[in-house]
Amino acid sequence: MKKQFLILVLFLSCYSFAQSINDYKAVIVPLKYDFLKSENQYRLSTMTKANLLKAGFEAFYANQSLPSEYNDRCSLLYVDVLQDKAFLLTKLYIVFKDCFGKVVYQSEIGKSKAKEFQLAYTEALNNAFQSVYDLNYTYAAPIKEVVQEEAKSIPVTKVVPAVPNNVEASATINKVNSDLLYAQATANGYNLIDSEPKIVMKIYKTSIKDYFTAVKGNTNGVVLLKDNQWFFEYYQNDQLVSEQVQIKF
């Protein structure tokens, strides 16, 4: 009886672990894996994306510009393919991580006895994806997101309160920076790099999700996520400046 109970607990744990993959909208595919020498070598990135699409995921390469509905990086999974070294065998397995680097799901190991690298990697990767197919992935939108989508269809009349003439209303200066910045991970946060490439800003992690302290030149401020958009906020001449920035994590 005790043995049956332990087996049941193990099964339920594995099931809930695998099912959590349904909480994510899409998957980001890197252009290069650590065990390879160049980008998309042996077309592994291409095959990874193709397999993800076949398994029902939305998938994007790491260098792609994402549609606005995918701006929340924590609604995405980040896939990696790892090699398990073995004699006379090619072994690959797939790992899905969340935006904090925590493993959400790890596939079974795919194996190949082929001697030619292209064939061996292709066969091992496809075999590893069999366990991913078995998850029967279907995106399960959070209740909050469903409510927000329904709310968009309801017309809302905004009432703007009048400001008395003798009261000076404090205003925030709003700016938009349309240049796309690429986030390069550091030990404590990220360097935000432009297309040159040049470091435009340095941001540092805090204990609050999606909230970073930031340094841009001689300006100190914060970078935070509001309404699925990133903003760099700082004070200039005692007035708050909120600058929308495009960041690719």
Side-chain angles (χ1 to χ4, degrees), residues 30-72:
L31 298 181
K32 180 181 177 298
Y33 298 118
D34 287 344
F35 62 92
L36 299 178
K37 295 181 179 179
S38 59
E39 290 188 355
N40 203 22
Q41 191 175 12
Y42 306 114
R43 301 186 71 251
L44 280 195
S45 293
T46 300
M47 287 187 290
T48 300
K49 183 178 179 182
N51 274 293
L52 287 169
L53 295 174
K54 184 178 177 181
F57 294 90
E58 290 288 340
F60 303 94
Y61 292 120
N63 64 343
Q64 279 186 263
S65 295
L66 303 184
S68 58
E69 60 264 34
Y70 300 104
N71 280 346
D72 181 4

Side-chain angles (χ1 to χ4, degrees), residues 175-222:
K175 297 181 178 181
V176 177
N177 182 355
S178 59
D179 295 332
L180 181 62
L181 302 179
Y182 298 87
Q184 182 182 62
T186 63
N188 301 313
Y190 299 90
N191 289 334
L192 303 186
I193 300 172
D194 62 15
S195 57
E196 287 190 22
K198 178 184 68 179
I199 297 176
V200 175
M201 190 187 311
K202 295 183 178 182
I203 61 176
Y204 302 91
K205 296 176 182 177
T206 69
S207 59
I208 303 173
K209 178 184 175 183
D210 297 330
Y211 185 94
F212 302 84
T213 58
V215 178
K216 182 180 181 182
N218 295 323
T219 303
N220 295 316
V222 297

Side-chain angles (χ1 to χ4, degrees), residues 46-130:
T46 300
M47 287 187 290
T48 300
K49 183 178 179 182
N51 274 293
L52 287 169
L53 295 174
K54 184 178 177 181
F57 294 90
E58 290 288 340
F60 303 94
Y61 292 120
N63 64 343
Q64 279 186 263
S65 295
L66 303 184
S68 58
E69 60 264 34
Y70 300 104
N71 280 346
D72 181 4
R73 65 189 183 94
C74 286
S75 70
L76 307 176
L77 282 171
Y78 300 82
V79 71
D80 195 8
V81 175
L82 303 175
Q83 184 175 30
D84 189 9
K85 292 186 178 181
F87 183 65
L88 297 179
L89 275 178
T90 297
K91 293 184 177 182
L92 300 179
Y93 61 96
I94 305 147
V95 173
F96 294 87
K97 297 181 180 179
D98 65 15
C99 59
F100 297 105
K102 179 182 177 183
V103 175
V104 176
Y105 176 75
Q106 179 175 311
S107 76
E108 298 293 333
I109 294 178
K111 303 176 184 179
S112 173
K113 294 182 179 180
K115 296 181 180 180
E116 196 269 319
F117 283 127
Q118 179 68 65
L119 179 59
Y121 283 129
T122 300
E123 188 174 34
L125 183 68
N126 289 339
N127 288 337
F129 260 103
Q130 290 302 317

Side-chain angles (χ1 to χ4, degrees), residues 157-170:
T157 302
K158 293 185 178 180
V159 178
V160 181
V163 179
N165 293 330
N166 61 342
V167 177
E168 182 179 352
S170 62

